[in-house]
Amino acid sequence: MKAKIILFLMLAICSPSGHSQGMPVYDNTNFISLAKSLVESAKQTSQLLKTVEFLSEQKQRIEQVNSVIKQVRAVKEIIKNNAKLVKVVQYDLTEILNSPFIKQEEIERVTMSFHSIMDIAKQDMEFMQQLLTSNLLKMTDAERLAILEDQKERSREMIAEVGLRTRRFKTIISFREMQSKINNRAINF
């Protein structure tokens, strides 16, 4: 009976419902495939990080090129406006000064009026050249573009100012011409 009790206790201890633990069993095939998939995931993650870094660099380059293109467009428009300004001043000033209705004492004032605008345009062009050729102020592209946009707007304003002055002087000339015709007409009563 003693043998039966010992056998019973041994069975109770070793039974699956008992609290004893056995040696764990590993499936090496699953473990190896898990390790391989982790290594492959790490490689893919590394590739994705390199791709993200590459795309980030390309985005920065595209933004720089875009900024340069905007600067070039602004410079082109400023140059076009200044060329238009020179043309308007050259032809209109010649026309105004050659008019017989502009008095001799007004010639210097008319000339100075147009030359002051041309001097401002020249100074703006010199400033723009310094802005683009030297990194004197250590500006970013956005700051440089903002200044160029201001210069572009200023060149538009100068064209409008020259147009206004030209119209004013031409109006004076036409008024004096009409006044001369009225004063010199023959009276037939």
Side-chain angles (χ1 to χ4, degrees):
M1 170 126 163
K2 222 176 176 190
K4 285 185 181 179
I5 293 178
I6 292 178
L7 184 61
F8 179 70
L9 284 175
M10 289 288 265
L11 284 175
I13 292 174
C14 292
S15 72
S17 63
H19 298 296
S20 65
Q21 294 182 348
M23 184 153 195
V25 177
Y26 293 104
D27 185 6
N28 288 339
T29 307
N30 286 339
F31 181 74
I32 290 173
S33 66
L34 176 65
K36 285 181 180 178
S37 68
L38 285 175
V39 168
E40 191 62 33
S41 293
K43 287 179 185 177
Q44 289 176 355
T45 304
S46 174
Q47 277 301 58
L48 284 174
L49 290 175
K50 288 178 184 177
T51 303
V52 167
E53 183 179 325
F54 174 75
L55 290 174
S56 171
E57 289 173 4
Q58 296 309 314
K59 179 184 174 196
Q60 289 174 349
R61 288 182 183 148
I62 288 172
E63 288 172 352
Q64 287 175 342
V65 168
N66 190 23
S67 177
V68 169
I69 289 172
K70 286 180 181 179
Q71 289 178 23
V72 167
R73 285 181 182 161
V75 169
K76 280 177 122 178
E77 186 169 340
I78 291 169
I79 291 171
K80 183 182 86 172
N81 289 346
N82 283 344
K84 184 177 179 182
L85 186 67
V86 167
K87 182 180 172 186
V88 166
V89 169
Q90 184 179 12
Y91 293 118
D92 289 346
L93 184 59
T94 304
E95 183 183 336
I96 291 169
L97 293 178
N98 289 337
S99 172
F101 299 102
I102 293 293
K103 299 174 185 171
Q104 190 65 29
E105 60 271 5
E106 293 175 326
I107 290 177
E108 185 176 337
R109 190 179 64 188
V110 170
T111 305
M112 292 305 292
S113 174
F114 283 99
H115 278 285
S116 66
I117 292 177
M118 293 306 293
D119 285 341
I120 292 171
K122 181 181 174 188
Q123 290 171 1
D124 286 350
M125 288 299 287
E126 289 171 357
F127 174 73
M128 184 178 66
Q129 182 181 5
Q130 289 176 354
L131 180 72
L132 293 173
T133 57
S134 68
N135 202 3
L136 180 69
L137 302 175
K138 304 281 186 205
M139 299 177 132
T140 64
D141 287 340
E143 293 168 336
R144 191 174 297 112
L145 183 61
I147 290 174
L148 288 174
E149 290 292 330
D150 290 342
Q151 292 284 3
K152 183 170 70 172
E153 186 60 36
R154 188 171 170 171
S155 70
R156 288 178 184 162
E157 291 170 0
M158 284 190 282
I159 289 173
E161 179 70 23
V162 165
L164 180 67
R165 289 182 186 190
T166 302
R167 282 191 302 276
R168 184 178 338 141
F169 288 124
K170 285 183 177 182
T171 303
I172 291 170
I173 290 170
S174 66
F175 176 75
R176 288 180 181 169
E177 184 179 5
M178 183 177 55
Q179 191 177 28
S180 174
K181 287 179 182 178
I182 290 173
N183 290 340
N184 295 330
R185 71 175 181 207
I187 301 174
N188 296 329
F189 288 109

